[in-house]
Amino acid sequence: MVKIKTLLVITIVLVLSNPALSYAKEKSVKISTLKDYAPFCIADESYKINQIIPVGSDAEGFQGYSWDVVRESFHEMGYTIHLSITPWARAMMDVKNGKTDILFPTGKNTERKKIFLYSDESVNRANYLIYVRTDNNIEWKGLDSLMGLTIGVKRGFSYGDKWNAAHELNKHIVNEIILGFEMLNAKRLDGFLGYEHNWDYVLKQKNWTTKFRKLPVFDFSAEYLVALKNNPNGKEILKAFDTGKKRLIKSGKLEKIKKKWFGN
C-alpha cells in the first residue's frame, strides 16, 4: 500500500511539473490594447491597467465591441486572458518587446507587415477621413485638397499607405481624440484625421456633431490581432482566435455582439 501511494504521488508530481503530461494545463494569452477607442475599446475610471480574465469572466471597467469579440473568441478556445490596457504607443511597444503576445485592434500597412503576423479574422473596420469645422468651405479633391493646411493626427495611429505617402502635408500629432476636436474647434487645426466610427462616437458623447462635418472617406482598413513574427507562440495564438471567432459566427454569438453595440 505504501509503494502504491508513493507511485501515485510521484505520478502526480510528474504530471503537474511537465506541461506535455498535464492535460488540464491552463492555456493563456497576454494581450495589449488601448483604453480610448470607443466603441471598440472603452475604459472607464474604474479600469485596472493589468487584469486576468478567466473563461466566463469579463474585464473590470473595460468594454467595447472589439473587446467582446476578442474575449469571447479566446474564451471559446479555453484561453485565460492576461489583459494590459495602456496608451496605444505603449501597447505597441509592449508587443514589440515581447512583454505581451497580442496587440489589437491593428490596421495593416507596409511597415507593420514587416514585423507582425496578422490574424485571418478581423475585429472591426476603420474608415479614414478628415473632420473639419462646419464653417470650413474646403472642396474635397483627394488628399491634395489639404495642401497648406494643418491636419491633426492621433499619436501612434495608422491611417494607411495613402496617408503615409502624403509627406508634403502639415501633420500635427495630438494625444487624445477629444483634444484634437478641441484644437479644431479653436481653429488651431484646419482638419482632424480620424477613424469614422470612433471619432463619431466621441462627438455624440460630447453632443458636438453639429460643430464639424466629414470629408469623404479616402481609405479604409479592417483591423486585426497581430503577433510579432519572432514570437514562437504567435501563429498558434492567432489561429486560436481565428477558430474561436468562426465558432462565434456559427453559434450566433457574434451577431448578438453586433446588435449589442450597433443595433439592427
Side-chain angles (χ1 to χ4, degrees):
M1 180 63 72
V2 173
K3 289 184 178 180
I4 293 175
K5 288 183 178 180
T6 302
L7 287 172
L8 181 59
V9 170
I10 292 173
T11 301
I12 292 173
V13 170
L14 287 172
V15 169
L16 292 177
S17 63
N18 189 337
L21 298 175
S22 179
Y23 178 80
K25 184 178 182 294
E26 177 189 79
K27 292 186 291 185
S28 65
V29 57
K30 296 177 181 178
I31 299 179
S32 289
T33 190
L34 71 175
K35 64 179 182 178
D36 55 346
Y37 195 44
F40 300 137
C41 298
I42 317 164
D44 61 32
E45 293 180 356
S46 67
Y47 88 99
K48 297 178 180 178
I49 294 175
N50 296 301
Q51 303 188 39
I52 298 176
I53 300 111
V55 175
S57 299
D58 201 349
E60 294 183 28
F62 185 70
Q63 58 179 329
Y65 170 78
S66 299
W67 166 239
D68 283 352
V69 173
V70 170
R71 185 189 71 255
E72 292 289 353
S73 296
F74 277 117
H75 281 180
E76 186 73 27
M77 301 300 292
Y79 278 77
T80 291
I81 297 171
H82 295 248
L83 180 65
S84 177
I85 307 166
T86 68
W88 181 250
R90 188 181 306 167
M92 176 74 74
M93 190 58 63
D94 283 347
V95 77
K96 286 181 178 179
N97 291 339
K99 289 181 65 177
T100 55
D101 300 306
I102 295 294
L103 176 70
F104 87 95
T106 314
K108 291 184 177 180
N109 63 37
T110 302
E111 291 304 311
R112 289 177 177 178
K113 288 178 182 177
K114 292 177 182 178
I115 60 173
F116 289 134
L117 297 170
Y118 281 78
S119 58
D120 292 333
E121 294 288 330
S122 64
V123 287
N124 51 260
R125 167 175 161 147
N127 293 325
Y128 308 140
L129 76 174
I130 308 291
Y131 290 76
V132 296
R133 294 181 302 277
T134 52
D135 62 0
N136 188 325
N137 59 4
I138 183 174
E139 293 185 16
W140 175 254
K141 296 180 181 178
L143 291 176
D144 289 342
S145 310
L146 308 176
M147 290 293 294
L149 303 180
T150 301
I151 307 300
V153 295
K154 191 172 187 303
R155 184 183 300 277
F157 275 38
S158 171
Y159 298 96
D161 290 336
K162 290 181 181 179
W163 177 257
N164 291 342
H167 301 295
E168 68 281 1
L169 299 182
N170 299 325
K171 304 174 183 180
H172 182 86
I173 297 174
V174 299
N175 291 322
E176 297 180 5
I177 297 172
I178 192 63
L179 178 59
F181 280 119
E182 289 173 349
M183 294 177 68
L184 182 59
N185 189 54
K187 299 186 178 181
R188 293 171 59 192
L189 296 174
D190 298 301
F192 185 28
L193 174 57
Y195 292 12
E196 187 173 21
H197 288 301
N198 315 87
W199 270 235
D200 282 357
Y201 185 91
V202 172
L203 290 178
K204 288 178 182 177
Q205 294 294 105
K206 288 288 185 178
N207 198 27
W208 283 359
T209 53
T210 59
K211 288 179 176 289
F212 310 100
R213 67 183 180 93
K214 297 183 284 188
L215 300 181
V217 173
F218 68 85
D219 203 356
F220 72 90
S221 174
E223 296 187 307
Y224 303 83
L225 275 64
V226 296
L228 209 60
K229 283 186 175 181
N230 62 9
N231 182 336
N233 300 315
K235 288 184 179 180
E236 178 184 348
I237 293 170
L238 292 175
K239 184 177 179 181
F241 167 75
D242 289 333
T243 301
K245 187 187 171 188
K246 288 174 183 176
R247 290 184 182 181
L248 297 186
I249 295 171
K250 186 175 182 179
S251 68
K253 284 185 178 180
L254 184 63
E255 191 60 32
K256 290 180 180 179
I257 293 172
K258 288 181 180 178
K259 287 182 178 179
K260 170 185 173 182
W261 287 100
F262 306 116
N264 294 320

